[in-house]
Amino acid sequence: MNWRDAIEEVAKYAPAVATALGGPAVGGITAGAATMVTSALGVRNSPAALVSALEDPAKREALVRLNNEHERELISIRLQAETAQAQEETKRLSEVNQTIRAELATEGWWRAGWRPFNGWMLSASLAAVNFGLLAVVVRDPTQLPVVVDVLIWSVVAQGAVQGINIKKRSDDKQVMMGRAPTSFMDAIRKDKG
């Protein structure tokens, strides 16, 4: 038995208690609420002990009373845990965004050159594949269908990568000039509107 299962059982009798237990802290369990509830019922602090306590009518009644008398505090425990989690997530995302901004602000040969490099590599690899496939067909013409299949997949895969790179580079240039990048769908909507 895990805490999620215990929370489902508790919710049948004490929704505010279940709300407090289902907080976002470690594994979705608000440790403070779990300790408070299990100690109030006089059981071990575990999901199995909590669920087995619900079978005892006196403990179930105590749980309902706890739910009714301390509803605000129980909900507050959950909200505090969610607030703490949201603050941690905000801090993490702020650090990620700061890193991304720092990377974008740097002007190095790799940042400016990786997309053109990818274009040259696409051309070189397509040339190598074509010459290799031509050699295969010259040696054994029965391999032509297999060679064509490989060639198609190679061109499609590498062409897709290059197409995305070209689009992103164009978007980057528009952003640098102070314009918002537009998409193909934006152009269609503009024509219809």
Side-chain angles (χ1 to χ4, degrees):
M1 161 117 354
N2 62 40
W3 279 107
R4 296 266 181 229
D5 298 332
I7 290 167
E8 289 178 19
E9 289 299 313
V10 169
K12 295 175 185 175
Y13 307 103
V17 171
T19 296
L21 290 173
V26 184
I29 305 306
T30 306
T35 303
M36 181 180 96
V37 171
T38 54
S39 62
L41 297 178
V43 297
R44 195 168 35 90
N45 189 8
S46 75
L50 182 57
V51 171
S52 65
L54 295 176
E55 295 171 8
D56 179 357
K59 291 189 182 194
R60 189 170 50 234
E61 183 181 321
L63 181 67
V64 170
R65 190 171 44 255
L66 178 71
N67 182 77
N68 295 337
E69 292 173 0
H70 300 285
E71 184 173 6
R72 277 192 169 160
E73 293 87 357
L74 292 166
I75 292 173
S76 174
I77 289 171
R78 170 80 182 258
L79 291 175
Q80 288 171 4
E82 287 177 356
T83 300
Q85 183 186 32
Q87 288 171 344
E88 283 298 316
E89 183 66 10
T90 300
K91 181 180 174 186
R92 186 187 71 77
L93 290 174
S94 294
E95 290 172 2
V96 168
N97 287 335
Q98 187 177 11
T99 302
I100 290 171
R101 283 189 201 103
E103 288 173 354
L104 288 174
T106 60
E107 288 296 329
W109 65 270
W110 178 250
R111 182 173 178 271
W114 76 272
R115 286 188 177 125
F117 172 78
N118 194 34
W120 286 107
M121 288 307 296
L122 171 67
S123 299
S125 62
L126 282 177
V129 167
N130 287 335
F131 287 124
L133 294 176
L134 183 62
V136 168
V137 172
V138 168
R139 287 187 177 174
D140 184 7
T142 62
Q143 295 296 317
L144 184 61
V146 174
V147 167
V148 169
D149 285 344
V150 170
L151 182 61
I152 289 171
W153 279 107
S154 175
V155 169
V156 168
Q158 292 179 341
V161 169
Q162 188 60 24
I164 292 169
N165 284 332
I166 290 168
K167 170 69 173 123
K168 293 309 291 173
R169 181 66 179 146
S170 298
D171 289 350
D172 289 350
K173 287 179 180 179
Q174 286 184 356
V175 168
M176 287 172 63
M177 291 188 305
R179 291 188 233 143
T182 58
S183 69
F184 178 70
M185 291 306 293
D186 291 338
I188 291 174
R189 283 187 212 111
K190 191 175 188 180
D191 288 343
K192 288 191 174 193

